[in-house]
Amino acid sequence: MRTLSNVLVTGGAGFIGVNFIHTLLNRTPAFTGRIINLDALTYAGNAASLADIEKQFGNSNTTGTARYFFEHGNICDRSFVETLFKKYDIDTVVHFAAESHVDRSILGPEAFIKTNVMGTFTLLDAARAYWQNSNTADKLFHHISTDEVYGSLGETGYFTETTAYDPRSPYSASKASSDHLVMAYHHTYGLPVTLSNCSNNYGPFQFPEKLIPLMILNMLEGKPLPVYGDGKNIRDWVYVEDHNSAVWAVMQKGVTGEKYNIGGENEWENIKLLDTLIGIVSEKARLDPVKVRGAIIYVKDRPGHDRRYAIDCSKIKRELGWQREVSFEAGLEKTVDWYLANTAWIDGIRSGEYQKWVERNYGGRG
Ligand SMILES: NC(=O)c1ccc[n+]([C@@H]2O[C@H](COP(=O)([O-])OP(=O)(O)OC[C@H]3O[C@@H](n4cnc5c(N)ncnc54)[C@H](O)[C@@H]3O)[C@@H](O)[C@H]2O)c1
């Protein structure tokens, strides 16, 4: 088991990062270290999602030593990143920060190349420089990636860790580039890295541009439910806490230089997923499911839309003893409950309130 003391989490104000920080500080007794959250607070980042963590573990808590530090900045900013390594004596990096939405990458790929490729390079190189004269046995750079780097599957087969990369959108190409850089830094410079490629996540705190929260909110507001193409594209879905428990397993026990696939073993056609979600939301929010189903509209398919993703995650199960805990039905219920209960969070995003909060608290740097 690795001892992880000063953990730099990048993108910790985004969907998966927020959940990761909550899990590590609130529900992981084995973790006794500090978290330094470096986030640029783009449209997808929301530091208000961590207000409770800030209060309990941040500098302002009155009960003990702070274990949570928020640093507003950009992973492409080399001198700022270097300052953080020194200031906190970083021994572990968990790299979530990314531009993450495929549709946005089609409309404007440049930001994806900057953050996902140049940002990852900047972090890797800063870690290499800071750790170069120290014992790397207690250091780790864990890179979070996606199954989309593998391309698209036909009706059968699964992505394994040895599947050749075949990215097909600017998003997946930028993530593939970052994966290659991570592995190159291991092979060339001996940087202690691990890498995980995960399927689609869902759960609390997800920005409502992604399929599940978008559909939940559109249903609640009586808006149309847009489905790409024929609705038969297949994705594997994993509850965000199961993804994060897998990340934690890799951080503790993963072999450096190795990559691990993470998935929910849970393939769904988009249209069938939507039908299940309509059933849950209608029941919980007392909507007429027939009327809600009537709001489905089929829209022009996304260019280059990959048909099917499916992950073989037997390696992480076998080698690290990881197991998914949340069934899809239970995870969807938890997710719907969360969106129903957290209207203030949703309103904050919709009104741009949290961006104003960034201006007030951090002066808009990033
Ligand atoms: N969401 C999924 O289903 C999924 C699946 C597999 C892998 N991933 C990967 O997991 C990671 C996190 O995904 P997510 O869904 O939480 O993304 P997200 O878009 O919700 O959050 C990304 C976070 O990164 C921050 N960020 C963006 N650019 C930055 C920069 N230049 N410097 C510093 N911070 C920056 C944003 O402010 C935001 O807080 C990404 O690397 C993504 O590729 C996501």
Side-chain angles (χ1 to χ4, degrees), residues 37-304:
N37 176 10
L38 166 58
D39 199 296
L41 298 176
T42 68
Y43 79 96
N46 186 353
S49 304
L50 292 156
D52 56 331
I53 291 286
E54 185 80 61
K55 201 166 160 199
Q56 198 183 343
F57 298 99
N59 278 328
S60 55
N61 89 78
T62 48
T63 52
T65 318
R67 292 180 60 206
Y68 174 75
F69 303 85
F70 182 73
E71 293 283 355
H72 185 213
N74 198 308
I75 57 167
C76 300
D77 181 343
R78 173 73 189 239
S79 67
F80 187 60
V81 169
E82 275 178 7
T83 310
L84 296 186
F85 268 89
K86 287 197 194 89
K87 181 175 169 189
Y88 296 101
D89 190 21
I90 299 298
D91 53 57
T92 309
V93 178
V94 194
H95 178 30
F96 291 100
E99 286 293 337
S100 70
H101 191 45
V102 177
D103 289 344
R104 285 179 188 258
S105 83
I106 295 167
L107 293 170
E110 193 175 342
F112 287 71
I113 304 307
K114 281 191 179 146
T115 287
N116 300 359
V117 184
M118 287 306 295
T120 302
F121 157 72
T122 304
L123 288 166
L124 286 165
D125 213 51
R128 175 171 86 93
Y130 188 67
W131 294 340
Q132 68 182 343
N133 294 321
S134 56
N135 177 6
T136 51
D138 58 358
K139 309 281 185 292
L140 186 70
F141 188 111
H142 180 65
H143 178 59
I144 308 287
S145 192
T146 166
D147 60 353
E148 301 193 28
V149 297
Y150 297 123
S152 183
L153 288 166
E155 283 180 12
T156 57
Y158 294 90
F159 299 132
T160 71
E161 286 80 359
T162 55
T163 301
Y165 276 28
D166 184 21
R168 294 145 59 102
S169 71
Y171 165 65
S172 54
S174 67
K175 291 297 290 187
S177 308
S178 66
D179 290 12
H180 288 316
L181 280 170
V182 167
M183 285 307 181
Y185 265 69
H186 177 71
H187 291 295
T188 309
Y189 304 113
L191 195 75
V193 307
T194 45
L195 164 54
S196 54
N197 297 84
C198 189
S199 57
N200 278 26
N201 284 221
Y202 69 100
F205 296 109
Q206 189 165 29
F207 194 81
E209 65 184 352
K210 303 281 169 72
L211 183 69
I212 289 180
L214 175 76
M215 292 299 171
I216 295 173
L217 298 187
N218 282 9
M219 284 178 216
L220 295 175
E221 292 171 5
K223 289 185 178 166
L225 307 175
V227 174
Y228 277 133
D230 62 3
K232 290 187 186 300
N233 295 62
I234 293 176
R235 298 291 178 265
D236 173 74
W237 291 91
V238 65
Y239 191 62
V240 64
E241 290 200 7
D242 280 331
H243 178 187
N244 283 332
S245 71
V247 169
W248 176 241
V250 177
M251 287 168 67
Q252 284 196 298
K253 299 178 275 184
V255 177
T256 53
E258 289 290 315
K259 74 201 294 280
Y260 298 88
N261 280 354
I262 304 167
E265 297 174 314
N266 178 42
E267 288 180 51
W268 285 76
E269 276 183 2
N270 286 343
I271 193 68
K272 289 200 175 136
L273 186 162
L274 182 56
D275 191 60
T276 306
L277 196 57
I278 289 173
I280 296 172
V281 175
S282 301
E283 196 186 316
K284 288 185 185 284
R286 297 171 193 221
L287 303 175
D288 174 1
V290 177
K291 202 168 158 209
V292 180
R293 278 193 184 92
I296 294 176
I297 50 165
Y298 290 88
V299 297
K300 191 169 177 295
D301 209 354
R302 169 192 276 166

